[in-house]
């Protein structure tokens, strides 16, 4: 069930020139000088909002857990000096009270908090009747409903300026990224709530500097509304997330490399070509479904033969053969074998379901 006020969601953060909203600053506020120097240098790069972690929910005890309220005036001062709004993470009602008391402009709820409805509700209750924008990071696990639920809790207490932050999803032994992007989840969020702006946090997805560009560019290619990128005056000495933070020079370089794309074009030539291609795609999608339907008809026939002959639905050797044949063909065609493997597995699962139904009836 969705809440009614969906059309009011969103910060209206899109800038006139269509460029993404940029949020940057250190993972954690460490010293007055570190906050001041970092913010001063990155503000000069056209950043829109400054960030710094004041309270840090860390995975393991013993890691740096943030300096707490003592660091809030440093962030506020950096905002005033550079004439930029500032944001920080809040994880409970006390953090909210402290951040509001000091004058933080925007709050964000971190991934380890979004995951916990009691914690989100506590924050929402502390924000009742307050007019402050809130960013909601996705929960650590790939659960879209939990992400939406956190947004709804804020919406219910009257917070109207809400944006989502996609920071990736944690998996055990992540092969490449610190957190898996699973782009299909923010895409589905966007499909369901087109007015809700989504910001990408490449820093916590990538986990290392070298991967920031590909994630940030992909987010722009997917038309995300903004980017939150961690920056630190001396990243290698950072007290948290040292590997993923950029120094101001690195941030400048990254921002210059990024290309932001338009959502639409009114160029008649472009529109004519894209329309023709889309007609082809629609035709091919329809033919693909007809082929899958043909395949399912045969699958059902086989189901009836298996039932009559008392043969089990799953023939593991046959499945191995089909899977390998498709993967080999994918390699020849230059299509990702991971995609083909998932595609044929999905079709195979549907085939099994259909034959199982036949066996039971
Ligand atoms: C952060 O932004 O520094 C942070 C802790 O993020 P996340 O909640 O995404 O882990
Ligand atoms: Mn961080």
């Amino acid at each position: 069930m969705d809440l009614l006020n969906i059309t009011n969601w969103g910060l209206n953060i899109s800038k006139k020139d269509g460029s993404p909203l940029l949020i940057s600053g250190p993972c954690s506020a460490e010293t007055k000088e570190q906050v001041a120097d970092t913010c001063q240098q990155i503000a000069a790069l056209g950043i829109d909002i400054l960030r710094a972690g004041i309270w840090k929910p860390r995975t393991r005890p013993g890691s740096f857990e943030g300096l707490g309220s003592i660091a809030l005036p440093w962030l506020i001062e950096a905002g005033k000096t550079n004439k930029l709004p500032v944001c920080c993470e809040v994880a409970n009602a006390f953090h909210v009270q402290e951040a509001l008391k000091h004058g933080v402009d925007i709050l964000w709820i971190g991934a380890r908090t979004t995951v916990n409805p009691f914690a989100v509700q506590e924050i929402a209750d502390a924000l009742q009747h307050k007019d402050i924008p809130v960013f909601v990071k996705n929960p650590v696990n790939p659960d879209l409903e939990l992400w939406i639920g956190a947004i709804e809790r804020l919406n219910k207490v009257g917070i109207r300026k809400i944006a989502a932050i996609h920071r990736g999803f944690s998996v055990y032994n992540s092969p490449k990224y610190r957190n898996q992007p699973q782009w299909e989840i923010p895409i589905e969020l966007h499909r369901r709530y087109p007015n809700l702006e989504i910001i990408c946090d490449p820093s916590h997805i990538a986990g290392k500097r070298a991967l920031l560009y590909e994630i940030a560019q992909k987010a722009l290619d997917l038309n995300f509304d903004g980017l939150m990128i961690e920056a630190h005056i001396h990243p290698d000495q950072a007290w948290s997330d040292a590997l993923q933070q950029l120094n101001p020079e690195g941030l400048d370089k990254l921002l210059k490399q990024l290309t932001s794309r338009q959502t639409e074009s009114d160029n008649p030539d472009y529109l004519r070509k894209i329309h023709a291609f889309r007609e082809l795609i629609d035709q091919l999608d329809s033919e693909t479904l007809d082929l899958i339907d043909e395949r399912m008809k045969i699958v059902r026939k086989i189901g009836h033969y298996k039932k009559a002959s008392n043969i089990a639905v799953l023939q593991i050797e046959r499945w191995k053969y089909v899977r390998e044949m498709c993967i080999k063909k994918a390699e020849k065609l230059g299509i990702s074998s991971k995609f083909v493997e998932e595609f044929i597995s999905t079709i195979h699962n549907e085939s099994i379901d259909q034959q199982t139904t036949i066996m039971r009836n």
Side-chain angles (χ1 to χ4, degrees), residues 47 153 199 218:
I47 298 304
R153 284 175 199 278
I199 294 160
K218 172 125 186 189

Side-chain angles (χ1 to χ4, degrees), residues 43-91:
L45 306 177
I47 298 304
D48 301 293
I49 301 171
L50 296 168
R51 66 152 277 161
I54 304 294
W55 299 277
K56 306 294 302 174
R58 306 311 299 279
T59 304
R60 303 281 300 269
S63 311
F64 172 58
E65 295 195 325
L67 293 174
S69 305
I70 194 177
L72 276 170
W74 308 339
L75 180 62
I76 301 294
E77 198 179 313
K80 289 211 171 99
T81 310
N82 298 291
K83 300 192 175 51
L84 288 177
V86 299
C87 63
C88 76
E89 174 174 350
V90 288

Side-chain angles (χ1 to χ4, degrees), residues 300-312 358-359:
R300 285 193 290 272
K301 271 191 191 156
I302 296 178
H304 287 293
Y305 282 130
K306 282 182 181 165
K307 187 177 181 183
S309 315
N310 200 25
I311 304 287
I358 289 167
M359 290 287 179

Side-chain angles (χ1 to χ4, degrees), residues 26-28 51 53 56-57 89 108-112 137-138 140 167 178-179 201 204 228 230 241 244:
C27 176
S28 308
R51 66 152 277 161
K56 306 294 302 174
E89 174 174 350
W108 89 76
I109 298 183
R112 291 166 194 76
K137 289 203 177 196
N138 64 256
V140 280
R167 52 77 79 194
R178 178 176 173 193
N179 290 291
D201 169 352
H204 293 87
M228 179 189 256
E230 287 184 341
D241 291 352
Q244 70 196 32

Side-chain angles (χ1 to χ4, degrees), residues 174-189:
S174 178
K176 182 171 178 189
Y177 303 115
R178 178 176 173 193
N179 290 291
Q180 298 302 110
Q182 296 195 244
W183 296 102
E184 67 279 12
I185 296 176
I187 289 172
E188 175 60 11
L189 180 65

Side-chain angles (χ1 to χ4, degrees), residues 60-240:
R60 303 281 300 269
S63 311
F64 172 58
E65 295 195 325
L67 293 174
S69 305
I70 194 177
L72 276 170
W74 308 339
L75 180 62
I76 301 294
E77 198 179 313
K80 289 211 171 99
T81 310
N82 298 291
K83 300 192 175 51
L84 288 177
V86 299
C87 63
C88 76
E89 174 174 350
V90 288
N92 58 36
F94 171 73
H95 298 164
V96 171
Q97 280 142 20
E98 285 294 284
L100 293 180
K101 193 172 85 191
H102 284 81
V104 172
D105 303 285
I106 301 166
L107 307 176
W108 89 76
I109 298 183
R112 291 166 194 76
T113 306
T114 308
V115 85
N116 179 350
F118 286 128
V120 176
Q121 194 56 50
E122 181 184 319
I123 293 169
D125 291 342
L127 284 170
Q128 189 116 29
H129 309 307
K130 302 276 189 302
D131 180 23
I132 186 165
V134 183
F135 299 140
V136 182
K137 289 203 177 196
N138 64 256
V140 280
N141 56 324
D143 186 338
L144 178 59
E145 299 308 317
L146 205 49
W147 197 0
I148 293 172
I151 294 170
E152 281 178 334
R153 284 175 199 278
L154 293 167
N155 193 247
K156 266 189 153 175
V157 297
I159 300 288
R160 293 290 175 263
K161 293 176 189 145
I162 304 175
I165 301 185
H166 168 233
R167 52 77 79 194
F169 304 91
S170 71
V171 290
Y172 182 59
N173 267 345
S174 178
K176 182 171 178 189
Y177 303 115
R178 178 176 173 193
N179 290 291
Q180 298 302 110
Q182 296 195 244
W183 296 102
E184 67 279 12
I185 296 176
I187 289 172
E188 175 60 11
L189 180 65
H190 184 50
R191 189 189 68 78
R192 283 169 59 177
Y193 305 106
N195 295 317
L196 175 70
E197 282 143 323
I198 310 183
I199 294 160
C200 179
D201 169 352
S203 304
H204 293 87
I205 295 176
K208 38 179 132 27
R209 286 189 267 282
L211 297 176
L212 288 173
Y213 168 76
E214 62 177 74
I215 296 289
Q217 186 58 58
K218 172 125 186 189
L220 297 189
D221 291 341
L222 293 176
N223 246 319
F224 275 59
D225 301 282
L227 296 170
M228 179 189 256
I229 304 176
E230 287 184 341
H232 189 292
I233 192 83
H234 301 300
D236 290 334
Q237 277 112 58
W239 299 358
S240 59

